[in-house]
Amino acid sequence: MSSCLFCRIAAAEIPAKVVYQDADLVVFEDINPQAPLHCLVIPRRHVATLNDLSPDDATLVGQMQYRAAQIARERGYAEGGYRTVMNCNADAGQTVFHIHLHLLAGRRLGWPPG
Ligand code: 5GP
Ligand code: ZN
């Protein structure tokens, strides 16, 4: 989708600090980090919200979660801990309507979230 910010980042039309990419996923640093490590894991394919997933997307979402865990491990956060979050729609605070998994680490994260 040419008007979608994250589709444009995935296509390298808008710059981002990319930390990982493959045929299905792109991972880049959040522009407004909320922790020492704050990356966003996105699928290259446009999916607006979690509500728009189909059964065939289960593997893709698993890849997103797996990649976040790998990056957390590579950065040294596996033992200390980290958080992954996907926000869906207004009540959860979703602001970009292309699904993304937040990976946050490097500080004590409060629970429950705000
Ligand atoms: P949401 O609130 O939808 O769960 O998260 C959207 C995230 O995208 C926010 O954490 C925000 O800082 C990040 N973001 C918004 N615009 C850009 C951008 O142009 N580049 C990058 N790297 N991150 C962005
Ligand atoms: Zn998109």
Side-chain angles (χ1 to χ4, degrees):
M1 236 178 74
S2 61
S3 63
C4 169
L5 174 63
F6 285 179
C7 281
R8 297 189 71 192
I9 286 177
E13 293 170 11
I14 291 177
K17 292 181 180 170
V18 173
V19 303
Y20 174 87
Q21 57 184 321
D22 63 24
D24 300 314
L25 305 180
V26 181
V27 186
F28 53 94
E29 294 180 10
D30 196 292
I31 203 167
N32 182 24
Q34 301 301 309
L37 174 64
H38 186 176
C39 293
L40 302 172
V41 183
I42 67 167
R44 288 190 183 277
R45 184 165 58 82
H46 183 81
V47 180
T49 80
L50 289 175
N51 294 330
D52 301 302
L53 292 172
S54 72
D56 288 346
D57 294 324
T59 300
L60 180 66
V61 176
Q63 283 176 270
M64 293 167 69
Q65 186 67 71
Y66 176 76
R67 185 51 51 192
Q70 294 303 109
I71 291 169
R73 180 174 296 284
E74 288 164 12
R75 301 291 181 96
Y77 295 114
E79 299 308 319
Y82 56 91
R83 183 171 295 164
T84 61
V85 182
M86 296 180 81
N87 296 321
C88 182
N89 277 341
D91 277 359
Q94 184 175 6
T95 59
V96 178
F97 288 85
H98 178 132
I99 59 168
H100 47 281
L101 181 70
H102 294 259
L103 168 61
L104 298 142
R107 66 172 175 84
R108 189 80 181 198
L109 298 163
W111 191 264

